[in-house]
Structures are given as structure tokens and as C-alpha cells.
């Protein structure tokens, strides 16, 4: 799925940039160009950043249903 249409950057590339150390929307943009055009994808990039760097409430739940 494309996160940034302007620069044709898919979610896999955003995740890769974050895994390589990007911590802000600007750092993601420097790494792959996402978010450097119109800026409408900034919120989406923020979600990927938050998911990668913030602990999830779900992580502590048991794996069984």
C-alpha cells in the first residue's frame, strides 16, 4: 500500500526507514522522500512511527483467546 502518493513510497519502505532509525516524519522524508511533497501523508507516517516506538497495550495480553 502506498503511504505517500507524491513520492510513490509504500508502507514497507516507511517501516524500513523507521527500522533503520528514523524517529520523525522529517527523518523518514530525508531517508526515502515520503512526506516531502504535499504533506497529506504526515499523519499516516506518524502512525507508523508511534506503532514502532510506543509500547502497545496489546503486547501484555495473553496469546490465547
Amino acid at each position: 500500500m502506498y503511504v505517500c502518493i507524491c513520492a510513490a513510497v509504500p508502507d514497507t519502505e516507511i517501516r524500513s526507514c523507521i527500522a533503520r532509525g528514523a524517529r520523525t516524519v522529517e527523518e523518514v522524508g530525508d531517508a526515502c522522500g515520503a512526506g516531502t511533497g504535499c504533506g497529506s501523508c504526515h499523519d499516516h507516517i506518524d502512525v507508523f512511527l508511534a506503532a514502532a516506538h510506543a509500547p502497545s497495550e496489546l503486547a501484555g495480553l495473553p496469546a490465547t483467546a
Side-chain angles (χ1 to χ4, degrees):
M1 160 182 86
Y2 284 103
V3 174
C4 178
I5 301 302
C6 296
V9 180
D11 62 315
T12 53
E13 181 64 20
I14 301 292
R15 293 175 201 271
S16 178
C17 291
I18 294 168
R20 291 190 311 263
R23 300 269 187 214
T24 65
V25 172
E26 291 77 17
E27 289 177 354
V28 170
D30 290 343
C32 67
T36 60
C38 74
S40 66
C41 61
H42 286 191
D43 288 343
H44 298 290
I45 296 169
D46 275 333
V47 169
F48 284 102
L49 288 163
H53 298 296
S56 173
E57 293 178 14
L58 298 177
L61 296 177
T64 58

